[in-house]
Amino acid sequence: PNVFIFNSFVASFLILILLDPIKTFTESFTKKLFLKDLFSIEEATIKFQKSLIGIVTPKQLSDLTTKFIENDLKADRSLIYLISDDGLKFELLNQSKSENEISEFNIKHPLLEYMNHAPLNPLSIQSLLEKQAEYITTSENERLSMIVDIFKLLEAQCCLPFVEGNEILGFCFF
């Protein structure tokens, strides 16, 4: 009986050592084959994050972010807002030809207060609509409704905050 247990242990150990690398390779190959879009977005996001390291001016940030969102994420347009020098509002950095733009957001705007609760998380209109359906209180529902209306006005699906520490330095609608 001891030889059987020893042989089972050795066989299990060899299978684990030999099949784990094959499993990892097969898993990555399958992801690349069937989830090409997701894989390319992950690669583009990593490349974008690395390129942010050398950013010095707001214009560079605007150009790089616009290029990433429109080329890699295939969005039609993006609106980038950065905090003003006085720190009291967020100003639109890249002007487009659209009429439905908001040139600035006050720091006390419901959108910014909402984003300050979870500054690292992007906002999507879909998640806001789901949360709006969950809330029973009218004040919270009205606040979420105002934020959803902004997304609709700007024809945006997502809002991505630019964060340093816990402070929002800007955000981008796309």
Side-chain angles (χ1 to χ4, degrees), residues 105-141:
F105 284 93
N106 186 316
I107 201 128
K108 299 288 185 193
H109 194 278
L111 171 70
L112 293 158
E113 290 177 354
Y114 187 82
M115 280 198 303
N116 275 325
H117 291 294
L120 297 177
N121 297 332
L123 285 178
S124 71
I125 192 168
Q126 185 64 36
S127 67
L128 290 169
L129 289 170
E130 289 170 4
K131 285 183 183 177
Q132 191 177 14
E134 292 174 8
Y135 283 109
I136 300 171
T137 62
T138 52
S139 63
E140 187 66 25
N141 223 338

PDB file of all heavy atoms in Angstrom, residues 105-141:
ATOM      1  N   PHE A 105     -16.861  72.545 -15.698  1.00  0.00           N
ATOM      2  CA  PHE A 105     -17.615  71.962 -14.585  1.00  0.00           C
ATOM      3  C   PHE A 105     -17.109  72.569 -13.295  1.00  0.00           C
ATOM      4  O   PHE A 105     -15.894  72.581 -13.048  1.00  0.00           O
ATOM      5  CB  PHE A 105     -17.397  70.440 -14.503  1.00  0.00           C
ATOM      6  CG  PHE A 105     -18.147  69.657 -15.524  1.00  0.00           C
ATOM      7  CD1 PHE A 105     -17.561  69.320 -16.728  1.00  0.00           C
ATOM      8  CD2 PHE A 105     -19.438  69.233 -15.276  1.00  0.00           C
ATOM      9  CE1 PHE A 105     -18.236  68.581 -17.677  1.00  0.00           C
ATOM     10  CE2 PHE A 105     -20.133  68.488 -16.204  1.00  0.00           C
ATOM     11  CZ  PHE A 105     -19.528  68.164 -17.413  1.00  0.00           C
ATOM     12  N   ASN A 106     -18.029  73.066 -12.466  1.00  0.00           N
ATOM     13  CA  ASN A 106     -17.677  73.560 -11.143  1.00  0.00           C
ATOM     14  C   ASN A 106     -17.229  72.381 -10.290  1.00  0.00           C
ATOM     15  O   ASN A 106     -17.712  71.269 -10.448  1.00  0.00           O
ATOM     16  CB  ASN A 106     -18.901  74.240 -10.521  1.00  0.00           C
ATOM     17  CG  ASN A 106     -18.593  74.918  -9.215  1.00  0.00           C
ATOM     18  OD1 ASN A 106     -17.901  74.373  -8.357  1.00  0.00           O
ATOM     19  ND2 ASN A 106     -19.117  76.107  -9.052  1.00  0.00           N
ATOM     20  N   ILE A 107     -16.313  72.620  -9.376  1.00  0.00           N
ATOM     21  CA  ILE A 107     -15.775  71.557  -8.532  1.00  0.00           C
ATOM     22  C   ILE A 107     -16.855  70.929  -7.643  1.00  0.00           C
ATOM     23  O   ILE A 107     -16.742  69.796  -7.202  1.00  0.00           O
ATOM     24  CB  ILE A 107     -14.580  72.073  -7.701  1.00  0.00           C
ATOM     25  CG1 ILE A 107     -13.724  70.930  -7.244  1.00  0.00           C
ATOM     26  CG2 ILE A 107     -15.010  72.866  -6.514  1.00  0.00           C
ATOM     27  CD1 ILE A 107     -12.294  71.076  -7.566  1.00  0.00           C
ATOM     28  N   LYS A 108     -17.958  71.665  -7.395  1.00  0.00           N
ATOM     29  CA  LYS A 108     -19.070  71.173  -6.567  1.00  0.00           C
ATOM     30  C   LYS A 108     -20.166  70.501  -7.397  1.00  0.00           C
ATOM     31  O   LYS A 108     -21.219  70.175  -6.874  1.00  0.00           O
ATOM     32  CB  LYS A 108     -19.695  72.332  -5.774  1.00  0.00           C
ATOM     33  CG  LYS A 108     -18.741  73.001  -4.819  1.00  0.00           C
ATOM     34  CD  LYS A 108     -18.460  72.113  -3.639  1.00  0.00           C
ATOM     35  CE  LYS A 108     -17.595  72.864  -2.638  1.00  0.00           C
ATOM     36  NZ  LYS A 108     -17.050  71.995  -1.637  1.00  0.00           N
ATOM     37  N   HIS A 109     -19.915  70.304  -8.685  1.00  0.00           N
ATOM     38  CA  HIS A 109     -20.898  69.694  -9.568  1.00  0.00           C
ATOM     39  C   HIS A 109     -21.210  68.267  -9.101  1.00  0.00           C
ATOM     40  O   HIS A 109     -20.316  67.560  -8.617  1.00  0.00           O
ATOM     41  CB  HIS A 109     -20.366  69.672 -11.006  1.00  0.00           C
ATOM     42  CG  HIS A 109     -21.410  69.367 -12.008  1.00  0.00           C
ATOM     43  ND1 HIS A 109     -21.819  68.091 -12.289  1.00  0.00           N
ATOM     44  CD2 HIS A 109     -22.149  70.182 -12.798  1.00  0.00           C
ATOM     45  CE1 HIS A 109     -22.755  68.108 -13.205  1.00  0.00           C
ATOM     46  NE2 HIS A 109     -22.975  69.376 -13.540  1.00  0.00           N
ATOM     47  N   PRO A 110     -22.470  67.815  -9.204  1.00  0.00           N
ATOM     48  CA  PRO A 110     -22.832  66.459  -8.757  1.00  0.00           C
ATOM     49  C   PRO A 110     -21.997  65.352  -9.404  1.00  0.00           C
ATOM     50  O   PRO A 110     -21.690  64.348  -8.767  1.00  0.00           O
ATOM     51  CB  PRO A 110     -24.300  66.324  -9.164  1.00  0.00           C
ATOM     52  CG  PRO A 110     -24.811  67.717  -9.227  1.00  0.00           C
ATOM     53  CD  PRO A 110     -23.651  68.568  -9.636  1.00  0.00           C
ATOM     54  N   LEU A 111     -21.594  65.553 -10.651  1.00  0.00           N
ATOM     55  CA  LEU A 111     -20.739  64.561 -11.318  1.00  0.00           C
ATOM     56  C   LEU A 111     -19.426  64.390 -10.575  1.00  0.00           C
ATOM     57  O   LEU A 111     -18.969  63.273 -10.316  1.00  0.00           O
ATOM     58  CB  LEU A 111     -20.475  64.969 -12.768  1.00  0.00           C
ATOM     59  CG  LEU A 111     -19.427  64.146 -13.510  1.00  0.00           C
ATOM     60  CD1 LEU A 111     -19.946  62.738 -13.781  1.00  0.00           C
ATOM     61  CD2 LEU A 111     -19.019  64.827 -14.798  1.00  0.00           C
ATOM     62  N   LEU A 112     -18.806  65.509 -10.204  1.00  0.00           N
ATOM     63  CA  LEU A 112     -17.514  65.452  -9.520  1.00  0.00           C
ATOM     64  C   LEU A 112     -17.659  64.935  -8.093  1.00  0.00           C
ATOM     65  O   LEU A 112     -16.796  64.204  -7.611  1.00  0.00           O
ATOM     66  CB  LEU A 112     -16.850  66.819  -9.551  1.00  0.00           C
ATOM     67  CG  LEU A 112     -16.460  67.215 -10.984  1.00  0.00           C
ATOM     68  CD1 LEU A 112     -16.314  68.693 -11.124  1.00  0.00           C
ATOM     69  CD2 LEU A 112     -15.212  66.491 -11.395  1.00  0.00           C
ATOM     70  N   GLU A 113     -18.725  65.305  -7.443  1.00  0.00           N
ATOM     71  CA  GLU A 113     -18.963  64.769  -6.096  1.00  0.00           C
ATOM     72  C   GLU A 113     -19.159  63.262  -6.157  1.00  0.00           C
ATOM     73  O   GLU A 113     -18.664  62.525  -5.305  1.00  0.00           O
ATOM     74  CB  GLU A 113     -20.183  65.450  -5.462  1.00  0.00           C
ATOM     75  CG  GLU A 113     -19.933  66.899  -5.096  1.00  0.00           C
ATOM     76  CD  GLU A 113     -21.174  67.598  -4.543  1.00  0.00           C
ATOM     77  OE1 GLU A 113     -22.260  66.991  -4.542  1.00  0.00           O
ATOM     78  OE2 GLU A 113     -21.029  68.757  -4.125  1.00  0.00           O
ATOM     79  N   TYR A 114     -19.851  62.792  -7.185  1.00  0.00           N
ATOM     80  CA  TYR A 114     -20.067  61.362  -7.357  1.00  0.00           C
ATOM     81  C   TYR A 114     -18.746  60.646  -7.657  1.00  0.00           C
ATOM     82  O   TYR A 114     -18.462  59.583  -7.114  1.00  0.00           O
ATOM     83  CB  TYR A 114     -21.082  61.124  -8.484  1.00  0.00           C
ATOM     84  CG  TYR A 114     -21.504  59.687  -8.619  1.00  0.00           C
ATOM     85  CD1 TYR A 114     -22.496  59.159  -7.805  1.00  0.00           C
ATOM     86  CD2 TYR A 114     -20.907  58.858  -9.554  1.00  0.00           C
ATOM     87  CE1 TYR A 114     -22.890  57.840  -7.920  1.00  0.00           C
ATOM     88  CE2 TYR A 114     -21.287  57.545  -9.671  1.00  0.00           C
ATOM     89  CZ  TYR A 114     -22.283  57.033  -8.852  1.00  0.00           C
ATOM     90  OH  TYR A 114     -22.654  55.721  -8.963  1.00  0.00           O
ATOM     91  N   MET A 115     -17.932  61.245  -8.531  1.00  0.00           N
ATOM     92  CA  MET A 115     -16.647  60.626  -8.884  1.00  0.00           C
ATOM     93  C   MET A 115     -15.684  60.612  -7.708  1.00  0.00           C
ATOM     94  O   MET A 115     -14.831  59.739  -7.624  1.00  0.00           O
ATOM     95  CB  MET A 115     -15.998  61.351 -10.080  1.00  0.00           C
ATOM     96  CG  MET A 115     -16.578  60.937 -11.390  1.00  0.00           C
ATOM     97  SD  MET A 115     -15.553  61.340 -12.827  1.00  0.00           S
ATOM     98  CE  MET A 115     -15.342  63.076 -12.711  1.00  0.00           C
ATOM     99  N   ASN A 116     -15.798  61.561  -6.793  1.00  0.00           N
ATOM    100  CA  ASN A 116     -14.896  61.603  -5.638  1.00  0.00           C
ATOM    101  C   ASN A 116     -15.105  60.429  -4.686  1.00  0.00           C
ATOM    102  O   ASN A 116     -14.220  60.117  -3.900  1.00  0.00           O
ATOM    103  CB  ASN A 116     -15.049  62.920  -4.882  1.00  0.00           C
ATOM    104  CG  ASN A 116     -14.207  64.015  -5.484  1.00  0.00           C
ATOM    105  OD1 ASN A 116     -13.108  63.774  -5.969  1.00  0.00           O
ATOM    106  ND2 ASN A 116     -14.733  65.220  -5.497  1.00  0.00           N
ATOM    107  N   HIS A 117     -16.277  59.771  -4.758  1.00  0.00           N
ATOM    108  CA  HIS A 117     -16.519  58.606  -3.897  1.00  0.00           C
ATOM    109  C   HIS A 117     -15.667  57.411  -4.321  1.00  0.00           C
ATOM    110  O   HIS A 117     -15.279  56.605  -3.486  1.00  0.00           O
ATOM    111  CB  HIS A 117     -17.998  58.221  -3.886  1.00  0.00           C
ATOM    112  CG  HIS A 117     -18.851  59.228  -3.193  1.00  0.00           C
ATOM    113  ND1 HIS A 117     -18.755  59.485  -1.851  1.00  0.00           N
ATOM    114  CD2 HIS A 117     -19.804  60.069  -3.668  1.00  0.00           C
ATOM    115  CE1 HIS A 117     -19.612  60.436  -1.519  1.00  0.00           C
ATOM    116  NE2 HIS A 117     -20.266  60.807  -2.602  1.00  0.00           N
ATOM    117  N   ALA A 118     -15.409  57.282  -5.607  1.00  0.00           N
ATOM    118  CA  ALA A 118     -14.571  56.199  -6.126  1.00  0.00           C
ATOM    119  C   ALA A 118     -13.752  56.747  -7.284  1.00  0.00           C
ATOM    120  O   ALA A 118     -14.027  56.477  -8.449  1.00  0.00           O
ATOM    121  CB  ALA A 118     -15.435  55.032  -6.582  1.00  0.00           C
ATOM    122  N   PRO A 119     -12.715  57.557  -6.991  1.00  0.00           N
ATOM    123  CA  PRO A 119     -12.016  58.289  -8.047  1.00  0.00           C
ATOM    124  C   PRO A 119     -11.246  57.415  -9.034  1.00  0.00           C
ATOM    125  O   PRO A 119     -10.951  57.853 -10.130  1.00  0.00           O
ATOM    126  CB  PRO A 119     -11.069  59.207  -7.279  1.00  0.00           C
ATOM    127  CG  PRO A 119     -10.897  58.562  -5.958  1.00  0.00           C
ATOM    128  CD  PRO A 119     -12.169  57.840  -5.673  1.00  0.00           C
ATOM    129  N   LEU A 120     -10.915  56.186  -8.668  1.00  0.00           N
ATOM    130  CA  LEU A 120     -10.140  55.356  -9.577  1.00  0.00           C
ATOM    131  C   LEU A 120     -11.007  54.617 -10.588  1.00  0.00           C
ATOM    132  O   LEU A 120     -10.497  54.051 -11.541  1.00  0.00           O
ATOM    133  CB  LEU A 120      -9.302  54.340  -8.785  1.00  0.00           C
ATOM    134  CG  LEU A 120      -8.262  54.950  -7.855  1.00  0.00           C
ATOM    135  CD1 LEU A 120      -7.550  53.866  -7.061  1.00  0.00           C
ATOM    136  CD2 LEU A 120      -7.253  55.772  -8.632  1.00  0.00           C
ATOM    137  N   ASN A 121     -12.314  54.623 -10.369  1.00  0.00           N
ATOM    138  CA  ASN A 121     -13.202  53.860 -11.243  1.00  0.00           C
ATOM    139  C   ASN A 121     -13.768  54.723 -12.355  1.00  0.00           C
ATOM    140  O   ASN A 121     -14.284  55.806 -12.100  1.00  0.00           O
ATOM    141  CB  ASN A 121     -14.362  53.270 -10.435  1.00  0.00           C
ATOM    142  CG  ASN A 121     -13.894  52.283  -9.403  1.00  0.00           C
ATOM    143  OD1 ASN A 121     -12.867  51.641  -9.578  1.00  0.00           O
ATOM    144  ND2 ASN A 121     -14.639  52.150  -8.328  1.00  0.00           N
ATOM    145  N   PRO A 122     -13.710  54.223 -13.587  1.00  0.00           N
ATOM    146  CA  PRO A 122     -14.397  54.926 -14.670  1.00  0.00           C
ATOM    147  C   PRO A 122     -15.906  54.840 -14.477  1.00  0.00           C
ATOM    148  O   PRO A 122     -16.407  53.894 -13.871  1.00  0.00           O
ATOM    149  CB  PRO A 122     -13.977  54.167 -15.928  1.00  0.00           C
ATOM    150  CG  PRO A 122     -12.941  53.206 -15.521  1.00  0.00           C
ATOM    151  CD  PRO A 122     -12.971  53.067 -14.050  1.00  0.00           C
ATOM    152  N   LEU A 123     -16.617  55.820 -14.979  1.00  0.00           N
ATOM    153  CA  LEU A 123     -18.083  55.818 -14.927  1.00  0.00           C
ATOM    154  C   LEU A 123     -18.620  55.484 -16.303  1.00  0.00           C
ATOM    155  O   LEU A 123     -18.108  55.989 -17.306  1.00  0.00           O
ATOM    156  CB  LEU A 123     -18.609  57.200 -14.558  1.00  0.00           C
ATOM    157  CG  LEU A 123     -18.499  57.670 -13.138  1.00  0.00           C
ATOM    158  CD1 LEU A 123     -19.035  59.090 -13.025  1.00  0.00           C
ATOM    159  CD2 LEU A 123     -19.272  56.767 -12.218  1.00  0.00           C
ATOM    160  N   SER A 124     -19.654  54.676 -16.350  1.00  0.00           N
ATOM    161  CA  SER A 124     -20.332  54.431 -17.620  1.00  0.00           C
ATOM    162  C   SER A 124     -21.797  54.789 -17.452  1.00  0.00           C
ATOM    163  O   SER A 124     -22.347  54.693 -16.354  1.00  0.00           O
ATOM    164  CB  SER A 124     -20.181  52.970 -18.055  1.00  0.00           C
ATOM    165  OG  SER A 124     -20.958  52.131 -17.229  1.00  0.00           O
ATOM    166  N   ILE A 125     -22.411  55.176 -18.546  1.00  0.00           N
ATOM    167  CA  ILE A 125     -23.820  55.542 -18.478  1.00  0.00           C
ATOM    168  C   ILE A 125     -24.655  54.324 -18.093  1.00  0.00           C
ATOM    169  O   ILE A 125     -25.642  54.438 -17.376  1.00  0.00           O
ATOM    170  CB  ILE A 125     -24.304  56.186 -19.801  1.00  0.00           C
ATOM    171  CG1 ILE A 125     -25.681  56.812 -19.606  1.00  0.00           C
ATOM    172  CG2 ILE A 125     -24.273  55.206 -20.939  1.00  0.00           C
ATOM    173  CD1 ILE A 125     -26.125  57.705 -20.733  1.00  0.00           C
ATOM    174  N   GLN A 126     -24.228  53.150 -18.523  1.00  0.00           N
ATOM    175  CA  GLN A 126     -24.958  51.930 -18.196  1.00  0.00           C
ATOM    176  C   GLN A 126     -24.968  51.669 -16.691  1.00  0.00           C
ATOM    177  O   GLN A 126     -25.994  51.365 -16.115  1.00  0.00           O
ATOM    178  CB  GLN A 126     -24.352  50.733 -18.951  1.00  0.00           C
ATOM    179  CG  GLN A 126     -25.110  49.453 -18.783  1.00  0.00           C
ATOM    180  CD  GLN A 126     -26.506  49.531 -19.369  1.00  0.00           C
ATOM    181  OE1 GLN A 126     -26.721  50.165 -20.390  1.00  0.00           O
ATOM    182  NE2 GLN A 126     -27.467  48.910 -18.715  1.00  0.00           N
ATOM    183  N   SER A 127     -23.805  51.810 -16.048  1.00  0.00           N
ATOM    184  CA  SER A 127     -23.749  51.574 -14.601  1.00  0.00           C
ATOM    185  C   SER A 127     -24.559  52.620 -13.840  1.00  0.00           C
ATOM    186  O   SER A 127     -25.180  52.316 -12.824  1.00  0.00           O
ATOM    187  CB  SER A 127     -22.300  51.561 -14.107  1.00  0.00           C
ATOM    188  OG  SER A 127     -21.713  52.830 -14.229  1.00  0.00           O
ATOM    189  N   LEU A 128     -24.577  53.850 -14.336  1.00  0.00           N
ATOM    190  CA  LEU A 128     -25.373  54.896 -13.691  1.00  0.00           C
ATOM    191  C   LEU A 128     -26.862  54.603 -13.796  1.00  0.00           C
ATOM    192  O   LEU A 128     -27.612  54.796 -12.838  1.00  0.00           O
ATOM    193  CB  LEU A 128     -25.060  56.258 -14.306  1.00  0.00           C
ATOM    194  CG  LEU A 128     -23.678  56.826 -14.006  1.00  0.00           C
ATOM    195  CD1 LEU A 128     -23.401  58.040 -14.879  1.00  0.00           C
ATOM    196  CD2 LEU A 128     -23.541  57.174 -12.541  1.00  0.00           C
ATOM    197  N   LEU A 129     -27.288  54.125 -14.954  1.00  0.00           N
ATOM    198  CA  LEU A 129     -28.707  53.786 -15.129  1.00  0.00           C
ATOM    199  C   LEU A 129     -29.109  52.615 -14.231  1.00  0.00           C
ATOM    200  O   LEU A 129     -30.204  52.594 -13.676  1.00  0.00           O
ATOM    201  CB  LEU A 129     -28.993  53.461 -16.597  1.00  0.00           C
ATOM    202  CG  LEU A 129     -28.962  54.661 -17.553  1.00  0.00           C
ATOM    203  CD1 LEU A 129     -29.024  54.190 -18.998  1.00  0.00           C
ATOM    204  CD2 LEU A 129     -30.078  55.634 -17.249  1.00  0.00           C
ATOM    205  N   GLU A 130     -28.202  51.653 -14.077  1.00  0.00           N
ATOM    206  CA  GLU A 130     -28.481  50.521 -13.181  1.00  0.00           C
ATOM    207  C   GLU A 130     -28.586  50.989 -11.734  1.00  0.00           C
ATOM    208  O   GLU A 130     -29.485  50.569 -11.005  1.00  0.00           O
ATOM    209  CB  GLU A 130     -27.404  49.452 -13.325  1.00  0.00           C
ATOM    210  CG  GLU A 130     -27.456  48.701 -14.634  1.00  0.00           C
ATOM    211  CD  GLU A 130     -26.250  47.814 -14.865  1.00  0.00           C
ATOM    212  OE1 GLU A 130     -25.382  47.705 -13.960  1.00  0.00           O
ATOM    213  OE2 GLU A 130     -26.171  47.220 -15.952  1.00  0.00           O
ATOM    214  N   LYS A 131     -27.673  51.864 -11.310  1.00  0.00           N
ATOM    215  CA  LYS A 131     -27.727  52.380  -9.938  1.00  0.00           C
ATOM    216  C   LYS A 131     -28.960  53.239  -9.726  1.00  0.00           C
ATOM    217  O   LYS A 131     -29.558  53.228  -8.656  1.00  0.00           O
ATOM    218  CB  LYS A 131     -26.458  53.175  -9.622  1.00  0.00           C
ATOM    219  CG  LYS A 131     -25.262  52.295  -9.398  1.00  0.00           C
ATOM    220  CD  LYS A 131     -24.050  53.089  -9.024  1.00  0.00           C
ATOM    221  CE  LYS A 131     -22.872  52.131  -8.884  1.00  0.00           C
ATOM    222  NZ  LYS A 131     -21.645  52.802  -8.591  1.00  0.00           N
ATOM    223  N   GLN A 132     -29.346  53.974 -10.753  1.00  0.00           N
ATOM    224  CA  GLN A 132     -30.533  54.817 -10.653  1.00  0.00           C
ATOM    225  C   GLN A 132     -31.777  53.956 -10.426  1.00  0.00           C
ATOM    226  O   GLN A 132     -32.670  54.341  -9.671  1.00  0.00           O
ATOM    227  CB  GLN A 132     -30.687  55.647 -11.927  1.00  0.00           C
ATOM    228  CG  GLN A 132     -31.717  56.733 -11.828  1.00  0.00           C
ATOM    229  CD  GLN A 132     -31.774  57.565 -13.097  1.00  0.00           C
ATOM    230  OE1 GLN A 132     -31.246  57.190 -14.137  1.00  0.00           O
ATOM    231  NE2 GLN A 132     -32.429  58.700 -13.011  1.00  0.00           N
ATOM    232  N   ALA A 133     -31.825  52.794 -11.044  1.00  0.00           N
ATOM    233  CA  ALA A 133     -32.976  51.896 -10.855  1.00  0.00           C
ATOM    234  C   ALA A 133     -32.989  51.284  -9.460  1.00  0.00           C
ATOM    235  O   ALA A 133     -34.049  50.945  -8.937  1.00  0.00           O
ATOM    236  CB  ALA A 133     -32.933  50.790 -11.906  1.00  0.00           C
ATOM    237  N   GLU A 134     -31.810  51.175  -8.826  1.00  0.00           N
ATOM    238  CA  GLU A 134     -31.714  50.581  -7.489  1.00  0.00           C
ATOM    239  C   GLU A 134     -32.138  51.543  -6.383  1.00  0.00           C
ATOM    240  O   GLU A 134     -32.693  51.115  -5.375  1.00  0.00           O
ATOM    241  CB  GLU A 134     -30.276  50.138  -7.206  1.00  0.00           C
ATOM    242  CG  GLU A 134     -29.808  48.981  -8.033  1.00  0.00           C
ATOM    243  CD  GLU A 134     -28.318  48.690  -7.816  1.00  0.00           C
ATOM    244  OE1 GLU A 134     -27.708  49.299  -6.911  1.00  0.00           O
ATOM    245  OE2 GLU A 134     -27.784  47.865  -8.559  1.00  0.00           O
ATOM    246  N   TYR A 135     -31.851  52.844  -6.535  1.00  0.00           N
ATOM    247  CA  TYR A 135     -32.082  53.802  -5.452  1.00  0.00           C
ATOM    248  C   TYR A 135     -33.555  54.146  -5.321  1.00  0.00           C
ATOM    249  O   TYR A 135     -34.248  54.390  -6.305  1.00  0.00           O
ATOM    250  CB  TYR A 135     -31.277  55.082  -5.671  1.00  0.00           C
ATOM    251  CG  TYR A 135     -29.826  54.922  -5.329  1.00  0.00           C
ATOM    252  CD1 TYR A 135     -28.861  54.895  -6.328  1.00  0.00           C
ATOM    253  CD2 TYR A 135     -29.410  54.780  -4.016  1.00  0.00           C
ATOM    254  CE1 TYR A 135     -27.522  54.735  -6.018  1.00  0.00           C
ATOM    255  CE2 TYR A 135     -28.077  54.619  -3.701  1.00  0.00           C
ATOM    256  CZ  TYR A 135     -27.141  54.603  -4.703  1.00  0.00           C
ATOM    257  OH  TYR A 135     -25.833  54.435  -4.394  1.00  0.00           O
ATOM    258  N   ILE A 136     -33.993  54.186  -4.074  1.00  0.00           N
ATOM    259  CA  ILE A 136     -35.388  54.512  -3.787  1.00  0.00           C
ATOM    260  C   ILE A 136     -35.524  55.991  -3.432  1.00  0.00           C
ATOM    261  O   ILE A 136     -36.515  56.629  -3.757  1.00  0.00           O
ATOM    262  CB  ILE A 136     -35.926  53.622  -2.632  1.00  0.00           C
ATOM    263  CG1 ILE A 136     -35.815  52.159  -3.053  1.00  0.00           C
ATOM    264  CG2 ILE A 136     -37.342  53.981  -2.278  1.00  0.00           C
ATOM    265  CD1 ILE A 136     -36.088  51.171  -1.953  1.00  0.00           C
ATOM    266  N   THR A 137     -34.510  56.567  -2.793  1.00  0.00           N
ATOM    267  CA  THR A 137     -34.601  57.965  -2.360  1.00  0.00           C
ATOM    268  C   THR A 137     -34.615  58.891  -3.572  1.00  0.00           C
ATOM    269  O   THR A 137     -33.871  58.703  -4.523  1.00  0.00           O
ATOM    270  CB  THR A 137     -33.431  58.346  -1.432  1.00  0.00           C
ATOM    271  OG1 THR A 137     -32.207  58.201  -2.163  1.00  0.00           O
ATOM    272  CG2 THR A 137     -33.398  57.459  -0.206  1.00  0.00           C
ATOM    273  N   THR A 138     -35.462  59.890  -3.511  1.00  0.00           N
ATOM    274  CA  THR A 138     -35.584  60.792  -4.646  1.00  0.00           C
ATOM    275  C   THR A 138     -34.376  61.702  -4.801  1.00  0.00           C
ATOM    276  O   THR A 138     -34.004  62.039  -5.921  1.00  0.00           O
ATOM    277  CB  THR A 138     -36.861  61.652  -4.514  1.00  0.00           C
ATOM    278  OG1 THR A 138     -36.863  62.271  -3.230  1.00  0.00           O
ATOM    279  CG2 THR A 138     -38.100  60.829  -4.709  1.00  0.00           C
ATOM    280  N   SER A 139     -33.741  62.093  -3.706  1.00  0.00           N
ATOM    281  CA  SER A 139     -32.586  62.989  -3.828  1.00  0.00           C
ATOM    282  C   SER A 139     -31.434  62.288  -4.557  1.00  0.00           C
ATOM    283  O   SER A 139     -30.804  62.875  -5.437  1.00  0.00           O
ATOM    284  CB  SER A 139     -32.137  63.479  -2.458  1.00  0.00           C
ATOM    285  OG  SER A 139     -31.710  62.398  -1.657  1.00  0.00           O
ATOM    286  N   GLU A 140     -31.163  61.043  -4.215  1.00  0.00           N
ATOM    287  CA  GLU A 140     -30.100  60.293  -4.888  1.00  0.00           C
ATOM    288  C   GLU A 140     -30.482  60.008  -6.339  1.00  0.00           C
ATOM    289  O   GLU A 140     -29.654  60.084  -7.237  1.00  0.00           O
ATOM    290  CB  GLU A 140     -29.826  58.984  -4.138  1.00  0.00           C
ATOM    291  CG  GLU A 140     -28.636  58.220  -4.641  1.00  0.00           C
ATOM    292  CD  GLU A 140     -27.316  58.929  -4.419  1.00  0.00           C
ATOM    293  OE1 GLU A 140     -27.205  59.758  -3.505  1.00  0.00           O
ATOM    294  OE2 GLU A 140     -26.366  58.659  -5.190  1.00  0.00           O
ATOM    295  N   ASN A 141     -31.739  59.729  -6.555  1.00  0.00           N
ATOM    296  CA  ASN A 141     -32.231  59.469  -7.901  1.00  0.00           C
ATOM    297  C   ASN A 141     -32.116  60.712  -8.785  1.00  0.00           C
ATOM    298  O   ASN A 141     -31.742  60.622  -9.953  1.00  0.00           O
ATOM    299  CB  ASN A 141     -33.692  59.005  -7.832  1.00  0.00           C
ATOM    300  CG  ASN A 141     -33.956  57.849  -8.741  1.00  0.00           C
ATOM    301  OD1 ASN A 141     -33.233  57.624  -9.692  1.00  0.00           O
ATOM    302  ND2 ASN A 141     -35.021  57.117  -8.456  1.00  0.00           N
TER     303      ASN A 141
END
